[in-house]
Amino acid sequence: MIKVGIVGGTGYTGVELLRLLAVHPEAHVEVITSRSEEGVRVSDMYPNLRGHYDDLRFSVPDTQKLGACDVVFFATPHGVAHSMAAELLATGTRIIDLSADFRLRDADEWGRWYGQPHGAPDLLGEAVYGLPEVNREAIRGARLIAVPGCYPTATQLGFLPLLEAGIVDASRLIADCKSGVSGAGRGASVGSLLGEASESLKAYSVKGHRHLPEISQGLRLAAGGPIGLTFVPHLTPMIRGIHSTLYATLTDTGADLQALYEKRFANEPFVDVMPAGSHPETRSVRGANVCRLAVHRPQGGDQVVVLSVIDNLVKGASGQAVQNMNIALGLEETMGLAHPALMP
């Protein structure tokens, strides 16, 4: 049985991680930390977990206890994982980080976007970006895995086939993305209140969102060169889900786009390329570790429109983290993640 530790288990990604691991046949959560909730029983904070974690209590972070685990997940704000990573890795455990601390390869760029110096720049060379559909082989056996963000997951998966095939103008990519309010986290915020977010739709961070450099980094690798990306996120009045509408201009109008996508993701257990003409909905992935894609070419012109939907807390966070754990530890990749989405 795999011994699991979780640092920072009181947020939405933390409770989602607990939900998924509760039914994982090869994993057992031994330690979960929270300085503010020390001593509180997990099932008291999260009644949906009653009967699964009745003896597990939050504790203050302890490197010795966490280091005794086979894998430690960080479900924390940025800046926490990079302050503890080196000490934990020295114990022999693996780290799977759901925060942004190890996603960017450039420490200076990370500092510009996150407003503080990177705390472990010497580990960036070892950190593996945990998008299995791109880095599966590097994830196998990795000690330090950076789980992609939610917007970057939906956007990269949608653009990958086009850029890898070199059939679009990589300098003119547009990502128009919508997210539910859980993407903002569990902390109290006026903008996430029901009275503020309900019956409203708004764009934000048009000047530049923190996920922009992460998306651009991945798309540059896929394209094998520079890219130009306009990324505009929006807040929608729903709890879970991301819908990314992606635009690109074809340079090869003879390409069979449906066949291209079906071939690229034919062996990917958590990417579903839908039939031609489909319009995937966020509710079709609610609670599931899957990205559903549909590719369109309106009026047969040179514009490609890709629709990409995920659950931001599952394939966009905790589900992908468990997927990475399975790969890194040599387990069946789909273990504990094969359940269908919730409908309605």
Side-chain angles (χ1 to χ4, degrees):
M1 187 67 69
I2 297 164
K3 297 179 180 179
V4 174
I6 301 174
V7 180
T10 60
Y12 289 140
T13 57
V15 66
E16 192 69 358
L17 196 54
L18 286 164
R19 181 181 74 87
L20 296 170
L21 292 172
V23 295
H24 194 291
E26 295 292 338
H28 184 264
V29 180
E30 302 275 334
V31 182
I32 187 165
T33 78
S34 170
R35 295 183 186 279
S36 62
E37 304 297 337
E38 181 186 6
V40 174
R41 198 188 310 268
V42 166
S43 57
D44 288 342
M45 174 169 286
Y46 295 118
N48 63 311
L49 299 176
R50 285 175 58 84
H52 295 283
Y53 295 103
D54 293 342
D55 296 326
L56 184 65
R57 296 177 182 269
F58 292 102
S59 60
V60 296
D62 182 299
T63 302
Q64 186 174 358
K65 291 181 180 178
L66 290 168
C69 296
D70 299 302
V71 60
V72 174
F73 292 92
F74 276 83
T76 53
H78 64 268
V80 177
H82 68 202
S83 68
M84 297 177 64
E87 190 176 0
L88 272 177
L89 288 173
T91 68
T93 191
R94 300 175 194 269
I95 292 175
I96 300 178
D97 179 24
L98 283 83
S99 81
D101 283 9
F102 294 99
R103 294 175 187 165
L104 300 184
R105 312 306 300 166
D106 187 318
D108 292 334
E109 184 176 36
W110 190 93
R112 288 193 296 272
W113 284 95
Y114 289 91
Q116 65 185 80
H118 197 282
D122 54 316
L123 291 176
L124 290 177
E126 178 181 356
V128 174
Y129 188 65
L131 190 62
E133 293 77 12
V134 174
N135 288 332
R136 183 171 285 106
E137 292 308 312
I139 292 167
R140 297 187 199 280
R143 295 198 314 158
L144 175 58
I145 299 169
V147 179
C150 49
Y151 284 129
T153 296
T155 302
Q156 289 178 81
L157 290 176
F159 274 133
L160 274 177
L162 300 172
L163 294 174
E164 291 173 346
I167 60 172
V168 293
D169 182 349
S171 69
R172 298 170 59 193
L173 305 175
I174 297 173
D176 181 354
C177 304
K178 281 87 174 175
S179 174
V181 295
S182 62
R186 191 165 177 255
S189 169
V190 170
S192 299
L193 295 174
L194 179 65
E196 300 290 327
S198 182
E199 299 184 48
S200 181
L201 172 68
K202 71 171 184 178
Y204 64 99
S205 297
V206 176
K207 184 178 180 180
H209 187 279
R210 284 173 173 172
H211 283 175
L212 176 61
E214 180 186 345
I215 299 171
S216 297
Q217 174 181 269
L219 297 185
R220 284 195 302 270
L221 290 172
I227 61 102
L229 174 67
T230 300
F231 167 52
V232 181
H234 299 71
L235 182 67
T236 63
M238 61 183 181
I239 296 172
R240 291 172 178 252
I242 282 182
H243 188 297
S244 293
T245 305
L246 312 174
Y247 302 88
T249 302
L250 282 169
T251 56
D252 177 2
T253 55
D256 184 336
L257 300 180
Q258 184 70 22
L260 175 70
Y261 274 73
E262 290 178 358
K263 181 178 179 181
R264 174 59 177 85
F265 295 116
N267 298 314
E268 294 299 340
F270 296 116
V271 179
D272 175 24
V273 178
M274 301 185 70
S278 298
H279 296 80
E281 303 174 67
T282 57
R283 69 174 186 157
S284 75
V285 295
R286 183 180 173 90
N289 190 60
V290 65
C291 175
R292 298 199 198 280
L293 297 172
V295 58
H296 294 258
R297 189 176 166 191
Q299 295 81 54
D302 65 355
Q303 192 79 4
V304 183
V305 179
V306 182
L307 308 177
S308 175
V309 298
I310 63 170
D311 185 321
N312 56 294
L313 296 178
V314 191
K315 183 58 174 168
S318 302
Q320 190 150 245
V322 173
Q323 186 180 353
N324 273 278
M325 179 191 76
N326 289 342
I327 297 169
L329 296 177
L331 302 174
E332 175 63 39
E333 187 170 339
T334 60
M335 187 173 287
L337 297 170
H339 54 273
L342 304 172
M343 286 190 70

